[in-house]
Amino acid sequence: MNSIIVFGSINIDLVSKTPRLPLPGETLTGHSFVTAPGGKGANQAVAIAKLGVPSYMVGRVGGDNFGRELLASLQAAGVRTENVLIDESISSGVAAIAVDDNGENQIIITPGANGRVDETDVERLQSVLKILSRPPSQREGTNSPPSQREGTSSPPSQGRLGGSILLLQLEIPLSAVIAAAQVAKAAGIQVILDPAPAQNLPDELYPLVDIITPNETEAGRLVGFTVDGREAATEAARALLQKGVGNAIVKLGAKGVICATQAETFFTPAFSVTAVDTVAAGDAFNGGLAAALVEGLPLRQAVVWGAAAGALAATKPGAQSAMCDRPTLEALMATGS
């Protein structure tokens, strides 16, 4: 089977539940606290592994207890982590989150090791891509580079996008994201970009992306106008094609998904579920989408996989703990609810 490589962030989430959010200078007493593995990159890697697809993580954690916990969590989910660098000189990425009884939140993100991702991490990624770009019959007996410790082109495609895939997000330095996309294209590996958190992107990145998957807010930031429904999402997806991406998918949450390719534009309705927590639903979508594509399914069907995976993630609290397995995904797609 072909594999999916995720190049991106690995965080620990520190979540305090409070009756309300604190005012400036105020100290509140919370009523519960949990720590949970997170980071958009790690979330997507776990989503893929839980669907039974080989998943490689490339990134950084700090040389602290959080780093060890994050690696163990990825490994327990079945993600290959030998290309996650342990950076002894800095802390792991941390998201300190306060959530009130109404579900509103305040978040402080300290990038830590994620902010240090650079050309040396891209070099590790490149070595993995070279292996995975070979036919599967030629990979046997070839190992990825050993885990490391620091301080001690093809054109955009559409329709079927089989072969190995690289997933990217924007919680690491943008220069590293661009370099990763460049080496992937040089290796003939398909690139899927989740442009989150929302930010402007340089023109040079778009032609390197086979599929871009913004939500409404992110799409609006990229195209320069408000995206708040199917009509605007369709216009935004087509505008993203004009910027050079191969295919554009705009996620509308409970309102469905718009997808535009060079050949067609289509809509996929959302699955009807009772949402509990939408955290990481977008990461689950990308995991389901990529898993279907790497197995050679058409893009239309892959979008359905993504919509189902995102819907199921919204039915459970948390991020990685909310990612579904293959039988659960198939059951939802079979019943439609």
Side-chain angles (χ1 to χ4, degrees):
M1 182 186 293
N2 288 305
S3 302
I4 300 174
I5 312 95
V6 182
F7 185 72
S9 59
I10 309 169
N11 285 338
I12 193 78
D13 293 341
L14 310 179
V15 185
S16 294
K17 298 291 184 68
T18 63
R20 58 180 176 81
L21 298 178
L23 300 172
E26 182 182 19
T27 299
L28 289 180
T29 300
H31 50 69
S32 66
F33 173 78
V34 296
T35 65
K40 295 191 69 64
N43 292 345
Q44 293 180 17
V46 168
I48 294 157
K50 284 190 173 182
L51 292 175
V53 175
S55 172
Y56 293 75
M57 185 76 217
V58 182
R60 293 194 185 203
V61 296
D64 51 18
N65 289 335
F66 287 150
R68 289 185 283 274
E69 181 180 342
L70 290 166
L71 285 175
S73 177
L74 286 168
Q75 292 161 0
V79 179
R80 296 281 295 272
T81 63
E82 60 264 39
N83 289 288
V84 175
L85 185 144
I86 302 170
D87 190 333
E88 297 283 1
S89 65
I90 196 169
S91 68
S92 296
V94 173
I97 306 170
V99 182
D100 70 16
D101 288 340
N102 295 317
E104 296 295 328
N105 62 67
Q106 292 177 342
I107 303 175
I108 299 173
I109 294 179
T110 304
N114 295 314
R116 295 274 188 89
V117 174
D118 60 18
E119 65 275 3
T120 62
D121 303 276
V122 176
E123 289 171 2
R124 291 200 315 283
L125 169 66
Q126 188 170 25
S127 66
V128 179
L129 294 175
K130 285 181 179 178
I131 294 169
L132 297 181
S133 63
R134 302 172 189 166
S137 61
Q138 296 179 18
R139 299 177 197 164
E140 187 175 355
T142 304
N143 296 318
S144 298
S147 58
Q148 300 184 40
R149 181 176 293 268
E150 182 174 272
T152 48
S153 171
S154 55
S157 55
Q158 58 192 50
R160 286 184 184 272
L161 290 95
S164 294
I165 292 172
L166 173 67
L167 282 183
L168 299 169
Q169 320 79 36
L170 301 178
E171 287 184 337
I172 58 175
L174 185 56
S175 58
V177 173
I178 295 170
Q182 290 171 336
V183 299
K185 298 308 290 183
I189 301 291
Q190 307 291 340
V191 175
I192 298 178
L193 173 64
D194 182 0
Q199 59 183 275
N200 296 326
L201 298 178
D203 291 341
E204 66 182 299
L205 181 56
Y206 291 104
L208 301 172
V209 175
D210 292 281
I211 304 179
I212 194 167
T213 63
N215 62 21
E216 289 172 287
T217 300
E218 294 148 6
R221 179 69 176 268
L222 296 176
V223 300
F225 56 82
T226 301
V227 178
D228 56 3
R230 284 178 60 174
E231 184 176 346
T234 299
E235 184 180 353
R238 291 172 178 164
L240 289 168
L241 293 184
Q242 293 176 357
K243 288 178 176 287
V245 301
N247 306 273
I249 295 172
V250 181
K251 298 172 290 189
L252 305 175
K255 295 177 288 186
V257 182
I258 290 290
C259 181
T261 76
Q262 300 297 335
E264 62 174 341
T265 300
F266 61 88
F267 171 75
T268 299
F271 287 85
S272 178
V273 297
T274 300
V276 172
D277 180 353
T278 59
V279 170
D283 296 330
F285 178 96
N286 273 41
L289 174 78
L293 291 172
V294 87
E295 294 190 4
L297 297 179
L299 183 57
R300 276 181 173 265
Q301 192 170 349
V303 172
V304 174
W305 277 48
L312 287 166
T315 65
K316 295 181 180 180
Q320 295 176 20
S321 60
M323 301 304 175
C324 65
D325 58 19
R326 179 68 70 93
T328 305
L329 182 80
E330 293 176 343
L332 179 62
M333 291 190 295
T335 62
S337 62

